[in-house]
Amino acid sequence: MTVLESIIDGVREDLEERRRSVSEAEIKDRALTASPALDAFAALGGTPDGEGRDGAVRIISEVKRKSPSKGALADIPEPASLAKMYENGGASVISVLTEERRFGGSLADLDAVREAVSIPVLRKDFMVEPYQFFEARAHGADLVLLIVAALDDQKLAEFLALTHELGMNALVETHTAEEIERAVAVGSKIIGVNTRNLKTLDVDTATFGKLKDLIPADRVIVAESGVQEISDVEMYGARGADAILVGEALVKSGDPEATVRAYRAAATAARASAKSATGVSGQSTQ
């Protein structure tokens, strides 16, 4: 059994427990009567045709207590306070881990962050059942994570459609060229390239540069994993990332607000420098 399969087994067990507490009818009603979702695609710099972007690299800042690869990362007694610091530092989206067993997250964290910030919030979890999408919207999520490796083509298309029906956007996470092809085929607007190998949990940041040109220019391209210091965000920016998702480096930084600000500025400057040097945007023109 792979790490991903093991995590998903636990996710399904925990989901069934929540479903016994809150029925599908109730969670749907709460989702459909929630305040409208914020536009995460626009917040990440996306435009309908990919033209007219401002060139800034956005930061998706993550509330993350622990991970399967690193164990405990940080004590976060007040996720709302951390999220507010992220927002004050210029984060464009706040990512909140809600998976409990391996990441120490919860829907209570999502609730607290949603109440504290005015920017889009990503529910970062392993989405494998429709119930979770209604649950995400009911708890105020504007964006959900879809992991291509965890879904067949039918489920990927169905879940992306459900996400859009609920007014949300999806960060569609890929790891390989084949997964990018699948993500593009279903019409994903926000595509992440995760440089962490799901089988070994090892990170190879060079993966981003090898794969990002396979993504059409009208999509928002997100670099995921591998940020330890400012040189990493500069590298992702120079290689054409529209946004960078950062968790561990921020929760361990000691000054999340200043670190977000520095990361955004450094990544944007690196992207502008690379564009100036090559005369191109760093994105595919497919």
Side-chain angles (χ1 to χ4, degrees), residues 128-200:
V128 291
E129 294 286 343
Y131 182 98
Q132 295 170 288
F133 294 81
F134 292 100
E135 191 176 52
R137 187 78 279 277
H139 286 268
D142 309 289
L143 185 67
V144 295
L145 180 71
L146 296 181
I147 302 174
V148 175
L151 304 168
D152 60 28
D153 287 343
Q154 181 178 344
K155 285 293 185 184
L156 181 60
E158 288 177 357
F159 286 170
L160 185 62
L162 177 57
T163 299
H164 292 161
E165 287 170 15
L166 291 171
M168 298 184 292
N169 280 287
L171 169 56
V172 181
E173 179 176 291
T174 66
H175 302 81
T176 66
E178 184 267 340
E179 289 178 9
I180 289 175
E181 183 178 356
R182 293 175 58 205
V184 171
V186 297
S188 306
K189 297 192 295 181
I190 306 171
I191 299 178
V193 176
N194 193 335
T195 62
R196 185 180 301 281
N197 185 307
L198 286 179
K199 295 180 180 179
T200 65

Side-chain angles (χ1 to χ4, degrees), residues 244-274:
I244 304 170
L245 192 152
V246 189
E248 177 184 349
L250 290 179
V251 299
K252 295 170 68 175
S253 72
D255 191 343
E257 181 175 332
T259 304
V260 171
R261 187 175 293 113
Y263 280 3
R264 177 165 178 163
T268 298
R271 178 168 173 155
S273 179

Side-chain angles (χ1 to χ4, degrees), residues 38-48 53 169 189-190 218-220:
L38 302 176
D39 188 347
F41 180 68
L44 292 172
T47 59
R53 295 187 182 180
N169 280 287
K189 297 192 295 181
I190 306 171
D218 60 348
R219 318 302 164 95
V220 168

Side-chain angles (χ1 to χ4, degrees), residues 57-245:
V57 178
R58 271 68 176 179
I59 302 298
I60 303 173
S61 302
E62 194 157 81
V63 177
K64 184 176 186 178
R65 289 187 169 87
K66 64 181 184 179
S67 74
S69 61
K70 297 290 185 67
L73 299 174
D75 180 29
I76 306 175
E78 297 183 10
S81 297
L82 176 60
K84 193 63 183 176
M85 285 188 278
Y86 287 160
E87 182 178 31
N88 291 341
S92 296
V93 170
I94 308 296
S95 171
V96 183
L97 266 302
T98 59
E99 196 279 335
E100 298 182 31
R101 300 188 183 200
R102 301 293 188 98
F103 293 89
S106 68
L107 287 167
D109 286 350
L110 182 61
D111 291 336
V113 170
R114 173 70 286 161
E115 186 174 349
V117 302
S118 59
I119 58 177
V121 175
L122 162 66
R123 180 191 183 179
K124 194 175 183 192
D125 209 319
F126 298 80
M127 309 296 280
V128 291
E129 294 286 343
Y131 182 98
Q132 295 170 288
F133 294 81
F134 292 100
E135 191 176 52
R137 187 78 279 277
H139 286 268
D142 309 289
L143 185 67
V144 295
L145 180 71
L146 296 181
I147 302 174
V148 175
L151 304 168
D152 60 28
D153 287 343
Q154 181 178 344
K155 285 293 185 184
L156 181 60
E158 288 177 357
F159 286 170
L160 185 62
L162 177 57
T163 299
H164 292 161
E165 287 170 15
L166 291 171
M168 298 184 292
N169 280 287
L171 169 56
V172 181
E173 179 176 291
T174 66
H175 302 81
T176 66
E178 184 267 340
E179 289 178 9
I180 289 175
E181 183 178 356
R182 293 175 58 205
V184 171
V186 297
S188 306
K189 297 192 295 181
I190 306 171
I191 299 178
V193 176
N194 193 335
T195 62
R196 185 180 301 281
N197 185 307
L198 286 179
K199 295 180 180 179
T200 65
L201 300 182
D202 293 334
V203 172
D204 179 4
T205 56
T207 300
F208 180 79
K210 295 173 183 176
L211 297 178
K212 65 92 184 174
D213 281 336
L214 301 175
I215 302 173
D218 60 348
R219 318 302 164 95
V220 168
I221 304 174
V222 182
E224 303 178 54
S225 297
V227 173
Q228 297 295 325
E229 52 193 47
I230 202 162
S231 61
D232 297 313
V233 297
E234 289 174 330
M235 177 272 296
Y236 282 139
R239 293 181 182 177
D242 297 310
I244 304 170
L245 192 152

